[in-house]
Amino acid sequence: MEKHTESDSTQVMLLYYLAFEHFRTDLGISNDYLQKAEVLSDSLDFNAGKARVLYLKGILENTRSEYGKSLDYFQQSLDYYKSINHKAGIASIYTAFGITHYDLSQYDEAIEAYKKASEIYAALKDTTELVTCLINSGNAYSESGNFNDAISNYKHALKLSEDSRDEDGVSYVYTNLGVVYKKQGNYPLAIDYLNKALDFDKKTGDMLGMAIKLHDLGEVYNSLKDNEKSLRYHQQSLAYSTKIGNKRLMAMNEASIGNIFKDEKAYSKALENYQRSLETSRQIENVRHTAICYNNIAEVNLLLDEPVQARTNFMEARDICLNTGNRDILPTSLLGIAETYVFEKKYREALAFVNEGKQMAEELELLENQKKAAGLLTIIYENTHLYKKALESHQQFKALNDSLFNKENIEKITQIEYEYKYKQALDSANIRELKLTKTVLATSQDLDRSNQNLLWAIIGILLVSIFLGSMIFYQKFNTIKVKNQSIITEQKLLRSQMNPHFVFNSLSVLQGMILNKEEKKSVDYLAKFSRLLRITLENSRDKMVLLSQELAAVENYMALQNLENDAYEFSITIDEGIDGSLFKIPPMLIQPFIENAIEHAFAKQTTDRKIEMHLKYLNEELVCIIKDNGIGIDSQKEKNGNGKKSLATQITSERLKILSTYFKMKGSVAIEDRAKYNKKGTVVTLVLPHEKLETA
């Protein structure tokens, strides 16, 4: 905006992007920018700008739960997009329609909107947005009780996400599969998928994602009658959702905690939680969860010997389900009504509701509801002297109970929990640091006092450096998380850049030098390591750094790799027309590919390991070519089985796409196997977005 002062379509889009950046953090600033964009769009008669403005207005109203206004704005935006035949814009509006109809529990309308968006995204070959539509469609099918179609959509989305190496997409699909399997009573699969998704959110620091997965895991353990674990998960989820102000999730956790108090016969506490959940659900017009709250309150009414009040609440829930198409909740309401009649010994009235609820539970494969129906039928038939039917119902009840809580399921769940916790322990940098410290303590007893002091001083400096570096990255990540996707991608790169394995390997090498009393060598190593850490931290503060600084970081990194035994033959060649002090580039674009070559290119190749880097400036493009003589990218894919790129490489690729838009110049990465040129190894060609400084 400071550079572009002309009142044209470009300024409209800049105002829109500024509004979009601020709408999650400061609605006042967002509205100011949006109003300016709207006025300028109208004065220019710029339909694309008008469509964007109305789209964001719709989103703002959706976040306020003003769904009617939201749909009106989306419709106006759609009309403008259609007038200019903007396919991607039209698809984005259909997606927005789907999300809003879903929030209103209008699942058929939501599914229809997602289908329209999916068809456009498939034609545009936009895999990311297509995956989003498939997941959203799966959610709508799940809420309406159509679990087979839900799972089909999720698995299609999972395949596309895995093929495109979209880790966020994979994690999100895991979450939804976990929820569906929980609803179907397949608890081992539910726990497995939810833990996988939770692990990803912890790595990325996604607080909302963690809150959702913790809630879902709490629900699974509540179904397994493990109240201690369930309460712990729900309390953690409630704390996260309260911190970020997500009322929908707050209401869900309040209800779930109420369920736990109900199981423990603390009925007054349960009703307090249910009431808070009901009030919040009404406030945000979440009719689906409002129905759940009425069912929950009714169940406590029954436990307090209040069948008439319970029936009133069950019927409230039933009516909401019938009006909104929430078929997965409806069986609970029907069976609850039946239970109130059983309580009053009105077995004929009860039987009609049980049979209706049982039939629907069987159609939806809801094992918990089927089990309850069988239990109620046992009581009804026994008290109406239909003993054969009573016995058959009781046997069905036992079979359903065994299928939910059989020994094989429990053992499977225990195994999944153990494997997940063990994996977390292996991935914990704190545990690795602790093991390293213990090793140093054990070995330092054999050193004289001066060497011992030197060892502790060096280890202390390194640990403090690592801690400070980690804190900077962590704080930077949490600050930027609420901003746009480009900044998220920048932060992911910074977090992945200093490979933890490299850091701990460096510490181990340094420890060995000290223990071997190689003082000069260890001091030299420490100096290079500290310099690399300092350069990394300094570069991470700036959007752009001098090319010479970036090359210094790469050279220092390779010097550390070669300090012990000259394992790699590394060279950098720069064309004469390139002055490193006159070019600026975004930091940490080159090193991930050097690091990737070291990590993967030379499997079982202990000698003749070459990495060559060449910089050239041609047709106003700054090009960096990285070659190795390793096994080649195609062989790496065969070895790994799925062709998955390293996290740093993938993030850098995504980052280059965003930077190319930001700088309005080409930015790309191409990775090829040199076998097609009858040579050995891999070649990476980076086109780097850059700024060229004026000479004095």
Side-chain angles (χ1 to χ4, degrees):
M1 285 293 293
E2 291 175 358
K3 294 180 180 179
H4 192 92
T5 57
E6 186 178 352
S7 296
D8 57 8
S9 59
T10 300
Q11 191 174 66
V12 171
M13 299 311 296
L14 289 171
L15 288 165
Y16 167 80
Y17 288 130
L18 285 167
F20 193 87
E21 288 298 319
H22 286 285
F23 96 93
R24 290 188 183 276
T25 55
D26 193 321
L27 288 177
I29 295 175
S30 180
N31 280 320
D32 288 343
Y33 283 122
L34 198 58
Q35 187 175 2
K36 292 176 183 178
E38 184 174 23
V39 170
L40 185 55
S41 295
D42 289 339
S43 67
L44 297 170
D45 197 22
F46 179 37
N47 285 351
K50 293 176 185 178
R52 289 277 186 124
V53 168
L54 289 164
Y55 169 69
L56 185 53
K57 280 188 171 184
I59 292 176
L60 289 169
E61 294 301 334
N62 183 283
T63 60
R64 298 188 184 106
S65 299
E66 295 287 345
Y67 300 121
K69 292 180 181 179
S70 178
L71 290 171
D72 288 341
Y73 282 128
F74 289 146
Q75 184 59 54
Q76 294 176 55
S77 178
L78 180 62
D79 292 340
Y80 278 118
Y81 275 132
K82 284 184 175 180
S83 71
I84 58 177
N85 197 29
H86 191 300
K87 296 295 185 183
I90 293 170
S92 69
I93 298 302
Y94 282 132
T95 301
F97 272 130
I99 293 169
T100 307
H101 283 305
Y102 177 88
D103 290 338
L104 289 167
S105 299
Q106 298 169 350
Y107 302 118
D108 289 340
E109 292 88 342
I111 290 168
E112 185 61 30
Y114 291 138
K115 283 182 178 177
K116 291 179 179 178
S118 296
E119 289 171 0
I120 297 173
Y121 286 130
L124 295 175
K125 297 183 179 179
D126 189 336
T127 303
T128 301
E129 293 299 335
L130 178 57
V131 166
T132 300
C133 287
L134 288 168
I135 292 172
N136 289 343
S137 297
N139 293 343
Y141 280 122
S142 176
E143 295 299 338
S144 60
N146 192 340
F147 297 123
N148 288 334
D149 282 340
I151 292 173
S152 176
N153 275 267
Y154 291 146
K155 289 191 172 179
H156 187 187
L158 182 61
K159 185 178 186 307
L160 290 174
S161 298
E162 289 174 340
D163 290 345
S164 61
R165 302 182 183 91
D166 178 7
E167 290 186 321
D168 290 298
V170 170
S171 173
Y172 194 46
V173 176
Y174 282 158
T175 303
N176 289 283
L177 282 169
V179 172
V180 171
Y181 285 128
K182 184 267 172 187
K183 288 180 179 179
Q184 291 185 319
N186 193 336
Y187 301 127
L189 273 180
I191 292 172
D192 190 21
Y193 278 116
L194 289 171
N195 271 328
K196 288 177 181 176
L198 178 62
D199 191 41
F200 178 80
D201 288 334
K202 286 180 177 178
K203 289 178 182 177
T204 59
D206 184 351
M207 193 175 295
L208 175 60
M210 287 189 282
I212 293 170
K213 277 69 163 187
L214 288 166
H215 168 270
D216 293 336
L217 281 166
E219 290 290 278
V220 175
Y221 283 109
N222 181 259
S223 299
L224 289 166
K225 308 303 179 187
D226 191 338
N227 287 341
E228 183 180 349
K229 282 184 181 177
S230 180
L231 182 60
R232 185 167 68 248
Y233 280 120
H234 282 304
Q235 286 174 337
Q236 291 175 18
S237 179
L238 181 59
Y240 282 129
S241 55
T242 302
K243 187 173 182 179
I244 60 180
N246 189 304
K247 291 185 178 180
R248 186 185 186 93
L249 200 52
M250 289 164 60
M252 293 167 65
N253 279 298
E254 290 282 11
S256 298
I257 293 172
N259 290 337
I260 296 169
F261 286 135
K262 180 191 70 177
D263 291 344
E264 295 179 348
K265 297 182 171 54
Y267 301 131
S268 60
K269 287 185 178 180
L271 286 173
E272 288 174 7
N273 283 93
Y274 289 150
Q275 196 61 44
R276 283 197 293 270
S277 180
L278 178 61
E279 290 170 2
T280 303
S281 298
R282 284 172 169 171
Q283 180 185 347
I284 62 175
E285 298 182 21
N286 185 345
V287 291
R288 179 181 187 278
H289 203 261
T290 299
I292 292 173
C293 291
Y294 278 122
N295 277 339
N296 291 336
I297 293 171
E299 288 173 358
V300 176
N301 292 147
L302 263 179
L303 293 168
L304 293 172
D305 298 338
E306 299 171 351
V308 176
Q309 184 60 45
R311 188 155 54 244
T312 300
N313 286 315
F314 278 129
M315 286 183 171
E316 281 280 356
R318 179 200 61 180
D319 292 343
I320 291 173
C321 292
L322 290 173
N323 290 332
T324 59
N326 282 287
R327 296 180 71 233
D328 62 323
I329 304 172
L330 185 55
T332 301
S333 303
L334 294 170
L335 295 172
I337 294 169
E339 192 172 5
T340 65
Y341 283 123
V342 168
F343 189 93
E344 295 174 331
K345 299 183 180 179
K346 298 178 180 178
Y347 301 116
R348 181 177 298 175
E349 291 89 338
L351 185 60
F353 285 102
V354 173
N355 285 333
E356 186 179 356
K358 179 174 182 287
Q359 181 181 352
M360 189 169 293
E362 288 172 347
E363 290 174 3
L364 302 179
E365 300 180 7
L366 301 175
L367 297 185
E368 286 282 359
N369 290 125
Q370 292 179 50
K371 172 186 160 187
K372 184 169 185 177
L376 288 171
L377 286 173
T378 301
I379 297 171
I380 292 169
Y381 289 139
E382 186 176 0
N383 283 278
T384 53
H385 310 298
L386 299 171
Y387 298 115
K388 183 178 180 182
K389 287 187 175 182
L391 178 60
E392 291 172 353
S393 297
H394 181 65
Q395 290 172 337
Q396 187 179 16
F397 174 85
K398 285 190 66 179
L400 287 165
N401 189 65
D402 289 343
S403 70
L404 286 168
F405 299 100
N406 61 58
K407 181 180 178 183
E408 182 181 349
N409 265 5
I410 299 300
E411 289 178 350
K412 177 66 174 174
I413 290 166
T414 303
Q415 179 185 354
I416 290 170
E417 289 176 341
Y418 175 78
E419 290 174 352
Y420 176 66
K421 289 177 180 177
Y422 181 67
K423 182 178 181 297
Q424 282 186 313
L426 290 179
D427 289 341
S428 171
N430 290 331
I431 290 177
R432 293 181 182 179
E433 288 180 14
L434 182 60
K435 287 181 178 179
L436 177 61
T437 304
K438 286 181 178 179
T439 303
V440 172
L441 280 171
T443 56
S444 63
Q445 293 174 356
D446 299 326
L447 299 173
D448 58 25
R449 189 169 186 80
S450 61
N451 281 340
Q452 186 182 34
N453 291 338
L454 175 62
L455 174 65
W456 278 112
I458 292 172
I459 294 298
I461 291 169
L462 288 173
L463 291 177
V464 168
S465 298
I466 293 169
F467 176 76
L468 291 175
S470 300
M471 287 297 295
I472 290 170
F473 289 147
Y474 181 77
Q475 290 172 0
K476 195 167 183 128
F477 178 83
N478 280 333
T479 301
I480 296 174
K481 180 66 182 175
V482 296
K483 297 183 180 178
N484 63 27
Q485 186 60 41
S486 65
I487 302 178
I488 292 175
T489 305
E490 293 277 353
Q491 180 59 14
K492 285 181 180 177
L493 181 69
L494 297 180
R495 288 170 61 87
S496 68
Q497 191 62 44
M498 185 59 72
N499 190 318
H501 295 290
F502 170 69
V503 173
F504 286 104
N505 286 342
S506 298
L507 288 175
S508 298
V509 171
L510 179 60
Q511 178 190 338
M513 291 178 181
I514 294 169
L515 295 178
N516 291 330
K517 299 184 179 181
E518 298 175 293
E519 295 180 4
K520 183 177 179 181
K521 197 172 184 180
S522 62
V523 170
D524 187 26
Y525 192 92
L526 177 59
K528 291 182 182 296
F529 182 82
S530 300
R531 186 182 177 206
L532 177 60
L533 190 61
R534 184 177 68 255
I535 291 172
T536 303
L537 295 177
E538 287 175 351
N539 286 356
S540 70
R541 300 189 188 105
D542 301 320
K543 287 284 185 184
M544 303 288 286
V545 299
L546 289 174
L547 176 60
S548 57
Q549 290 178 249
E550 184 76 353
L551 295 179
V554 172
E555 289 175 334
N556 214 56
Y557 174 77
M558 286 306 304
L560 275 176
Q561 294 287 354
N562 279 330
L563 186 64
E564 183 70 8
N565 54 12
D566 290 326
Y568 304 95
E569 184 180 332
F570 178 70
S571 64
I572 298 179
T573 57
I574 305 173
D575 282 1
E576 291 183 2
I578 300 176
D579 186 340
S581 63
L582 295 180
F583 282 85
K584 277 193 168 185
I585 64 171
M588 301 177 187
L589 284 174
I590 299 172
Q591 184 177 320
F593 296 97
I594 301 290
E595 184 174 335
N596 202 49
I598 290 173
E599 290 291 329
H600 304 291
F602 302 107
K604 299 181 180 180
Q605 184 175 329
T606 57
T607 61
D608 189 30
R609 296 189 286 189
K610 295 179 182 179
I611 301 175
E612 301 172 1
M613 180 176 149
H614 179 208
L615 280 168
K616 62 182 181 180
Y617 189 63
L618 185 64
N619 297 327
E620 296 187 349
E621 289 184 357
L622 183 59
V623 181
C624 177
I625 300 171
I626 302 166
K627 299 178 182 178
D628 66 65
N629 64 338
I631 62 174
I633 187 68
D634 292 341
S635 297
Q636 291 178 42
K637 289 180 180 179
E638 292 173 6
K639 180 174 178 289
N640 293 336
N642 58 3
K644 183 178 179 181
K645 291 193 291 187
S646 72
L647 180 60
T649 302
Q650 184 174 346
I651 293 171
T652 304
S653 302
E654 295 170 359
R655 185 178 175 218
L656 276 167
K657 293 179 183 177
I658 295 167
L659 288 170
S660 63
T661 302
Y662 181 82
F663 288 103
K664 296 182 180 179
M665 65 172 59
K666 185 177 179 182
S668 64
V669 57
I671 304 176
E672 299 177 288
D673 197 302
R674 297 178 71 188
K676 66 171 64 175
Y677 305 111
N678 296 319
K679 293 185 179 181
K680 182 182 177 185
T682 302
V683 58
V684 178
T685 304
L686 290 167
V687 178
L688 303 172
H690 63 279
E691 289 180 1
K692 192 172 182 182
L693 304 178
E694 297 294 333
T695 56

